[in-house]
Amino acid sequence: MFLHGWAIAIGAAALGLPVLIHWLTRPRPVRMPISTLKFLQESIRQRRARNRLRDVLVLTCRTAAIALLAAAVARPLIGRATPGAASDSADVVRVVLLDVSQSMAATSQGVENFERVRPRVARELEYRPGLKADLILAGARPAAVSDSPSTNFGLFQEALATADVRPERFDVQATLNLAAEVFARAPESQARRELVVFSDFQRTNWAVADLSVVPAAAIVRLESAAPPEPPANLALLSISAAGRIEAGREALLSVDVGNYSATPRQVEVEIELGDTVSRAAGLCAPRTRTKLAAPIQVPNTGWRTGAARLVSVQDALQADNTRYYALQARLRPVYSLLTRERPDTRAAASYFVERALAALAGDAGGPATIERIDAEQPDADALERADALVIVQPGRLSKDVLQQLQTFVRRGRGVLYVAAEAADAVNLQQIAAMNPELSFPVDFQPPQHDAERADLFLTDIAPNRAMFAVFGDQAAEATGALRFAGGLVTRRRPNALADDVLATFNDQSAFLVMTSSGGGRLAVLNADLARSDLPRSPVFVPMLSELLQKELLTAGESTLTFPCGEPVTAVLLPASESVDTLQLVAPAGAPQAAGRLSQEGGSLVWHIDAAGPPGVYEVRRGADLLAAAVTALPEEESDLSAVSEDVLRDRLSGGRTIEYRGGGQAQQDEQESLWTWLLLGCVLCALGELVILRVFRT
Amino acid sequence: MTTVAASRFLDLPALTALEHMRFTTRHRIEGSYGGRHRSRQLGSAGEFVDYREYAPGEDLRRLDWKVLARTGKSYVKLYQDETNLLCTLAVDVSRSMLFGARSANDPAGSKLEFAQYLATALSHVISRGQDQVGLAVMSDQLLETVPPAGTRSHVARIQELIERLETAPSRTLAPSLRSLYDRTTARGVLLLFSDFLVDDLDAVFAAVRLFRHRQFEVIVLHLIHPAEERLPEGGAFRFEELEDGTTLDCSPAEIRADYEQRFEAHAAAVRSYALANGCDYRRVSTAVPYLQVLGGFLVERSG
C-alpha cells in the first residue's frame, strides 16, 4: 500500500526509460575494413564475460535506482493502516468534521493549516466497500454536506475541493451535536461509527468542548492541523472611540492589539478615516493585549467608516491584521436636568447637580448646553433634545413621562437618576415594569419611617469603571471619606449581575447601579445629595463627569461590531420612519444578502442569518449614511495556541478512547524515515553505477 | 645498358640512388650462372656467357680490358663457372594485404601496393646485379610462379606480373609455400612478402623450414600497416574483415589496449618463428617509404 500509488505506475513506466534512451542514443557505428578482426574478436571474447557482468550490474543499479525513487515518492505505508481504509471489511459510518474557522488559515512553514489537512480529509472520504460517510464543514454555523451518511463520495470530494477557510469562529459543541445527529440518521445499526475531526484544536474554541454527545461506541480520531508549537501572531482585536466623538473636536481612537507570541513586539497601526491616515505605535508585551491610541478628528457630524491595519507585520495569520470600524460624530451634548426643585433653591440636590454640570460646560470636553426641565410639566421637546438626562428630586412622574424616559434610554440616550425619596422608588419600579430590559440588579424600596439612612459610606466600588478609574489607585481613598444619607433601601435581585452594582454602602445597599436597554443606559445613584458629602467634595465634579461622559453618553456611541458568520439581531438607531425608504448595503465581497431591516418599538433593527466577511454594513437613505454595523473576525480566532493532547484525552473525551495525531506527528509521518532511506538507496544505486563503470573501465 | 621501365611500380629515377648497391647474400649459394656471389663451385673456367659491370673490389683479372679501351666503361666477363643469385620473390596476395587501401577499388596506400613497389624495386636491383629473380604469387594456393631468370625480358615479365597482382581471399599460406618448394629445383634466396595474418602460422614456418633445409636463405619481410597496430579513435565502429567480410560492432576504447597487446604478440611471434628457423626477419612499416626500406635493407645486407 502506498501513500501515492500513482507514483508506482509512473515508476514502472520509467523503468523502460533507460532502455528507450539507450536505444535512441546508441551510437551509429562507423564502417571500417580491417585485416586483424581475429584480434578484436579475441579481445572482445575475453572481455565478454566481464562486460556482461558490468552490464548486468549497471542495469541492476539503474533499475533499482528508478524503483527506489518511485517507491520513495509513493511513500509505502509499511506496518501502518492506510488512512481512509478500515483494517477489515466491516461496514463503517464515518463522519468527518473539518474545521473551517479563521484560525485554520494560519500558516506554518509557508503552508496553511487548512491546505495541510485537505488531502488527509480527502483520503478519509475515498470510496471503500462498506463505507458511508458525511462531511461537516464546521464554523460558526456547522453544516453537513449530506443529510445522512452517504456513499456519494464524489459529492464530498467536490464539497471539500470548494471548501475554504471562513472568517468565523468554530462552534465546537454545535458541531459535535450535529455529528451526533448525523450518526443517529445512519440506518446501519451494526456498522462501526467513526468520528474524524480535522482541526487546529484552538484552545479558545475547544476548551469547553464535550465529546460525550458522540455515540459511546464511536471511534474518535482527532487529527491536528496545527504545528507542534503555536506560531507567533499579532492581531487587531478591537477599535473603539475613547469617549464621545464630536464633530470638529479631536478625539482618541483606541486600538487593542493582541500579541500572541513569546516576545515583545514593536507594533505600528495605520488608521484610515476617509482621506486621513493616523498612526498609533507602541510596544506590545508578549501574550497580552495592548491598547494603543491615535488622535482623530471628524470635521462633520454623521457616520464615518474606516479601517486599521498592522504595518509591516509578518505573522502566522494575516486576516486579523486588518479591522474595520465605524464612528458617529455628533454635536456637543445637551445635558438636561429634570427636577421639581426650584432653580433658586440653594443647597438642594438639583442645585449641586446643576452647578456640577455648569463646571463641565466650561470644560473642553463638557456639554454645550445645560437645560433645566420642570418635572411637574416636562417639556417633551426639551426631553427629546437632551443627550443625557439627570433626574433629581422629580417627585412622582406620570406614566407618560416614564414611558418617554424608558424610550429615551432605549434609543441610546443616557439617564442618571438620583434616587432619594419614596417617589423615586415608585418611579424606578414603574420604569422597570414598562421595559423588561431595564431590569435593575436590585429592588428599590423606600426606607422605613423609623430607619433613617444616614452616615453611610462606600465599602465596595468598581475600580475599573470610569467614574472611579479616574482616581486611579486613590479611588478607595478618595471615596472612602465620603458620607452619605438618604436614598432607598435596596435588595439584591436573584440572578442579578454583580457587575451592574458599581458601588455598595456599608449597609450592603447599593450606591450606584447600572442597567441598559437598546442603545442606552440608566444609572441610579442612590443617595440624597443635599444631605450627603459628595456634592461638597472635590470628587463630585470628576465623578459626575466620568459617569456622564464615559458611561452614559457613550452607551450609544460604541461601534456596533458583530462576529462574522453568526446571526445578528441588532438595534441600529431610533427611527420612526418606514424601512422602505432605507437601503441596507453589505460590504464589498460579502457573498450573501445584507439581511433585512425592521421597525420594532421605535427603533431600526437589523436582522441577518449569518454576518458576512469583515467589513461595514451601512443603512442609507439615498446618499445619507444613517447607521453602520461592523462585522469582524472573532477575537478568539487570533490566539493560535492549541489544546494539549492530555486535555483532549482526559477532560474532553467524555470517557472514551481517543486517537490523537498531533500536527508534528502528522508531519513526521509525512516525512517518515522510510522514504528518506528509499531516496538514499536511489542515490547510492546511481553512485554505484558510476563506480562500476569506472572499475570496469580500468 | 639501360632498362625500359614498363611497370608503374618501377620508379627508375628514384632507384638511380641505389644503383651502386647490390643485393648480397650472407650464405654460399648455388646458382646456375656465374655471378659475383661466392659459388659452391670454385674456379673461373667456363663458357663466357655475359658481361657485367665492374664493381669496385672485384678481381681486376676478370676485367675486360678491350671493352674498357673501346668504350671507356668497366665490365667483367661472366663465365659459366661463376654462380649467380637465384632470388624468388614470394608475395602474399591474401585480402588482408589490401588493408590501408583508399577504397575497395583503389589499392593505393595498401600493404599490397607497398609490396608491389618493394618487390619491383628489388627485382630491378637483383637483376642489375646480374642475379636472377623469380616470382611466386601466394594465396591459399600458389596462384602464379615464375622460376628465377636474369634476362631483361624475364625481369620485365616479373615486374608486369607484380603490377597485375590481385588479392584473393585466403587465410592460409602454407599450402602455397609447399607448392613453391616442390617446384624449386635449385637453392637460392626466398624473399617472403607477407603480413602473416594467417591461421596457419605454424604450418607456414614449417614450410619455410623446408626451404631452410634445402639451404635456402629465407628473408621474411613482415609488412605492417601503422593503422593495424592500434585501433582507431572514435565511439563505435563496425569492423569488416577483409578476408571474408565478417563484421563486428564494438567500441574500440574498451579493447584498445588488449588489441595492441595481441597484435604485438602476433608480430613478435612471427619474428620469433622467423629467427628460430634461421630466417632473416625485417619488420617493414608501410609508413616508411619503400626506397628507404630498400636502401636500409641493402646496406644492412652488404655488411
Side-chain angles (χ1 to χ4, degrees):
Chain A
M1 300 296 283
F2 296 91
L3 204 62
H4 307 299
W6 50 266
I8 294 296
I10 294 177
L15 284 177
L17 200 58
V19 176
L20 180 64
I21 292 175
H22 174 76
W23 187 78
L24 290 175
T25 61
R26 71 186 189 282
R28 302 295 187 262
V30 177
R31 181 183 169 279
M32 182 171 183
I34 196 170
S35 57
T36 52
L37 192 72
K38 67 175 180 178
F39 299 142
L40 280 172
Q41 290 171 329
E42 291 169 1
S43 298
I44 289 175
R45 196 177 303 117
Q46 184 188 29
R47 294 184 67 89
R48 181 167 299 161
R50 179 183 159 98
N51 286 353
R52 195 167 290 160
L53 175 64
R54 178 203 64 191
D55 292 344
V56 168
L57 291 175
V58 168
L59 185 62
T60 301
C61 285
R62 288 178 183 172
T63 306
I66 292 176
L68 289 171
L69 181 61
V73 174
R75 305 278 181 90
L77 302 171
I78 298 175
R80 288 201 298 129
T82 303
S87 58
D88 52 42
S89 59
D91 292 344
V92 175
V93 175
R94 179 179 296 153
V95 176
V96 178
L97 306 185
L98 175 59
D99 182 355
V100 294
S101 66
Q102 182 63 69
S103 61
M104 288 289 283
T107 57
S108 171
Q109 296 178 342
V111 180
E112 275 190 7
N113 291 342
F114 188 79
E115 294 303 327
R116 184 174 286 115
V117 299
R118 195 195 293 265
R120 291 158 59 187
V121 176
R123 284 193 292 274
E124 298 290 344
L125 296 171
E126 288 175 346
Y127 168 76
R128 187 190 68 80
L131 174 66
K132 283 190 175 179
D134 202 351
L135 173 64
I136 297 178
L137 300 178
R141 303 177 67 191
V145 174
S146 174
D147 292 335
S148 61
S150 164
T151 56
N152 191 351
F153 297 101
L155 177 66
F156 301 136
Q157 295 289 347
E158 185 178 343
L160 176 63
T162 57
D164 203 354
V165 172
R166 301 172 189 167
E168 306 170 2
R169 67 182 181 96
F170 181 11
D171 191 338
V172 176
Q173 203 54 52
T175 304
L176 293 175
N177 293 340
L178 178 59
E181 291 176 18
V182 171
F183 278 126
R185 296 187 201 125
E188 296 79 1
S189 61
Q190 299 302 316
R192 185 174 72 239
R193 265 58 170 168
E194 290 183 0
L195 177 67
V196 186
V197 182
F198 289 91
S199 172
D200 54 0
F201 298 102
Q202 208 178 8
R203 184 163 47 85
T204 52
N205 291 331
W206 281 83
V208 293
D210 181 11
L211 287 163
S212 63
V213 298
V214 178
I219 297 173
V220 178
R221 276 195 284 132
L222 305 180
E223 302 275 352
S224 176
E229 294 296 325
N233 189 37
L234 284 170
L236 288 179
L237 300 178
S238 69
I239 303 173
S240 60
R244 182 183 173 95
I245 303 292
E246 295 176 4
R249 300 172 74 91
E250 189 174 274
L252 274 181
L253 200 63
S254 294
V255 179
D256 279 8
V257 179
N259 180 9
Y260 303 103
S261 69
T263 57
R265 300 285 294 271
Q266 185 66 31
V267 169
E268 184 178 350
V269 182
E270 185 179 270
I271 304 169
E272 295 175 0
L273 181 63
D275 296 332
T276 60
V277 176
S278 304
R279 290 184 183 272
L283 183 67
C284 297
R287 306 199 191 284
T288 186
R289 59 195 293 163
T290 303
K291 192 179 291 290
L292 304 178
I296 58 169
Q297 189 167 8
V298 181
N300 302 311
T301 58
W303 283 93
R304 297 288 184 274
T305 62
R309 295 180 181 81
L310 289 173
V311 177
S312 301
V313 167
Q314 294 297 326
D315 58 358
L317 189 61
Q318 292 287 305
D320 57 9
N321 293 352
T322 300
R323 207 163 185 93
Y324 297 91
Y325 68 95
L327 303 172
Q328 186 180 19
R330 301 170 184 267
L331 296 173
R332 291 185 65 188
V334 175
Y335 290 167
S336 296
L337 178 62
L338 181 66
T339 181
R340 286 192 177 190
E341 292 179 341
R342 292 171 60 81
D344 54 357
T345 306
R346 292 184 181 272
S350 62
Y351 171 83
F352 290 124
V353 170
E354 190 173 12
R355 295 285 80 76
L357 292 177
L360 292 179
D363 190 12
T369 309
I370 300 173
E371 195 168 349
R372 200 178 182 92
I373 304 175
D374 184 2
E376 289 186 358
Q377 293 179 338
D379 183 350
D381 293 335
L383 283 174
E384 191 63 32
R385 284 195 297 272
D387 290 301
L389 186 64
V390 182
I391 304 175
V392 181
Q393 297 288 344
R396 186 71 185 274
L397 296 173
S398 67
K399 286 189 177 179
D400 290 339
V401 174
L402 291 172
Q403 181 68 35
Q404 202 170 1
L405 287 178
Q406 65 90 20
T407 304
F408 187 88
V409 174
R410 206 153 56 80
R411 288 184 175 181
R413 312 291 177 86
V415 175
L416 172 61
Y417 196 117
V418 181
E421 54 188 11
D424 296 322
V426 175
N427 291 339
L428 291 173
Q429 290 170 4
Q430 287 188 337
I431 288 177
M434 288 177 180
N435 185 351
E437 288 186 5
L438 287 174
S439 59
F440 298 106
V442 297
D443 289 325
F444 294 97
Q445 299 288 337
Q448 299 294 328
H449 290 291
D450 56 350
E452 185 180 356
R453 291 167 55 84
D455 202 24
L456 299 171
F457 54 91
L458 296 176
T459 54
D460 291 323
I461 61 172
N464 57 337
R465 301 305 287 261
M467 71 289 293
F468 300 116
V470 68
F471 303 111
D473 297 337
Q474 311 299 319
E477 188 176 331
T479 59
L482 298 173
R483 293 293 178 268
F484 297 87
L488 302 173
V489 173
T490 64
R491 185 177 65 246
R492 287 283 177 104
R493 298 185 70 184
N495 300 326
L497 291 176
D499 289 345
D500 289 345
V501 180
L502 276 62
T504 309
F505 287 122
N506 57 314
D507 66 348
Q508 302 307 309
S509 63
F511 166 63
L512 183 62
V513 301
M514 190 83 69
T515 185
S516 61
S517 173
R521 288 187 187 156
L522 172 61
V524 179
L525 194 152
N526 185 26
D528 186 350
L529 293 179
R531 294 163 55 196
S532 301
D533 291 343
L534 181 60
R536 300 175 184 80
S537 75
V539 305
F540 181 56
V541 173
M543 186 183 291
L544 185 65
S545 170
E546 293 294 304
L547 178 60
L548 286 172
Q549 293 183 2
K550 299 292 175 61
E551 295 281 351
L552 298 179
L553 277 178
T554 60
E557 306 299 328
S558 60
T559 303
L560 297 174
T561 303
F562 305 97
C564 300
E566 304 205 31
V568 175
T569 299
V571 175
L572 294 181
L573 74 163
S576 57
E577 57 197 304
S578 170
V579 299
D580 296 336
T581 62
L582 305 176
Q583 299 88 39
L584 184 59
V585 181
Q592 60 267 31
R596 62 181 179 87
L597 295 173
S598 66
Q599 187 69 250
E600 295 178 18
S603 298
L604 193 65
V605 180
W606 175 43
H607 306 268
I608 189 168
D609 293 336
V616 181
Y617 284 81
E618 299 176 344
V619 177
R620 288 183 176 273
R621 185 196 306 117
D624 296 331
L625 179 58
L626 302 183
V630 179
T631 53
L633 291 178
E635 290 183 13
E636 57 261 38
E637 289 298 313
S638 297
D639 184 357
L640 302 179
S641 56
V643 174
S644 70
E645 179 182 351
D646 294 338
V647 171
L648 287 170
R649 287 183 187 280
D650 301 336
R651 196 155 59 82
L652 305 179
S653 63
R656 72 187 69 250
T657 302
I658 290 179
E659 296 177 22
Y660 177 85
R661 193 157 72 141
Q665 179 183 354
Q667 290 180 8
Q668 186 180 359
D669 288 342
E670 290 288 330
Q671 301 164 6
E672 202 163 357
S673 61
L674 178 62
W675 82 267
T676 58
W677 284 110
L678 292 173
L679 201 60
L680 182 62
C682 172
V683 172
L684 288 176
C685 284
L687 289 175
E689 176 185 335
L690 294 176
V691 170
I692 290 169
L693 288 173
R694 180 71 180 166
V695 167
F696 278 85
R697 183 182 295 273
T698 58
Chain B
M1 291 181 193
T2 60
T3 306
V4 176
S7 168
R8 63 186 172 89
F9 293 104
L10 182 63
D11 188 356
L12 287 175
L15 286 173
T16 54
L18 300 176
E19 283 188 347
H20 64 284
M21 302 186 76
R22 292 289 179 268
F23 179 77
T24 56
T25 176
R26 294 198 180 111
H27 305 284
R28 291 177 182 273
I29 54 94
E30 180 178 309
S32 57
Y33 294 101
R36 57 187 171 82
H37 308 285
R38 284 191 300 165
S39 170
R40 292 184 180 274
Q41 299 173 353
L42 299 177
S44 61
E47 182 182 350
F48 168 79
V49 292
D50 199 356
Y51 284 102
R52 180 172 56 80
E53 277 195 53
Y54 170 81
E58 286 191 87
D59 188 357
L60 288 173
R61 289 176 297 176
R62 300 162 69 86
L63 195 68
D64 190 330
W65 295 102
K66 290 181 181 176
V67 172
L68 177 62
R70 190 165 60 246
T71 65
K73 295 183 179 177
S74 306
Y75 286 94
V76 295
K77 290 181 178 178
L78 295 176
Y79 294 94
Q80 201 172 3
D81 59 345
E82 286 185 318
T83 57
N84 54 357
L85 206 57
L86 302 176
C87 302
T88 301
L89 307 177
V91 182
D92 176 6
V93 294
S94 60
R95 284 268 169 83
S96 63
M97 291 292 286
L98 272 181
F99 184 86
R102 289 200 191 114
S103 67
N105 301 321
D106 184 5
S110 66
K111 290 181 287 187
L112 178 64
E113 186 193 55
F114 187 93
Q116 287 171 311
Y117 273 108
L118 188 59
T120 303
L122 265 171
S123 70
H124 174 74
V125 169
I126 292 171
S127 66
R128 282 189 60 81
Q130 301 305 320
D131 292 318
Q132 297 179 17
V133 62
L135 179 66
V137 179
M138 299 186 299
S139 175
D140 54 352
Q141 57 187 350
L142 194 59
L143 298 177
E144 188 84 44
T145 179
V146 177
T151 62
R152 261 180 281 169
S153 61
H154 175 85
V155 174
R157 181 171 170 239
I158 294 290
Q159 292 171 348
E160 183 187 0
L161 286 172
I162 292 173
E163 185 181 20
R164 289 194 287 132
L165 285 178
E166 287 185 0
T167 59
S170 170
R171 300 202 74 89
T172 61
L173 212 55
S176 56
L177 273 174
R178 286 201 194 90
S179 296
L180 179 62
Y181 173 79
D182 293 337
R183 296 179 189 210
T184 303
T185 56
R187 299 185 182 90
V189 178
L190 176 65
L191 292 97
L192 193 50
F193 298 79
S194 176
D195 55 11
F196 294 96
L197 294 175
V198 294
D199 295 339
D200 59 345
L201 204 59
D202 289 342
V204 166
F205 282 92
V208 167
R209 277 198 292 275
L210 294 175
F211 285 90
R212 288 292 300 138
H213 288 158
R214 197 178 275 187
Q215 307 299 315
F216 267 80
E217 181 178 356
V218 178
I219 301 171
V220 173
L221 298 171
H222 187 181
L223 302 178
I224 295 176
H225 195 289
E228 285 178 318
E229 294 178 282
R230 55 190 56 84
L231 291 174
E233 298 291 337
F237 287 87
R238 174 167 292 168
F239 296 103
E240 190 174 307
E241 174 59 60
L242 287 167
E243 292 289 352
D244 56 8
T246 305
T247 59
L248 176 69
D249 292 352
C250 74
S251 297
E254 293 181 356
I255 57 173
R256 178 171 287 112
D258 192 66
Y259 169 86
E260 291 172 8
Q261 283 180 4
R262 290 181 183 277
F263 187 85
E264 286 305 315
H266 164 74
V270 172
R271 181 174 183 275
S272 176
Y273 272 119
L275 296 178
N277 288 282
C279 302
D280 192 1
Y281 173 85
R282 286 192 73 86
R283 176 170 174 152
V284 179
S285 173
T286 60
V288 179
Y290 78 95
L291 288 173
Q292 182 178 336
V293 172
L294 178 60
F297 175 65
L298 294 176
V299 166
E300 183 183 319
R301 292 194 68 82
S302 66

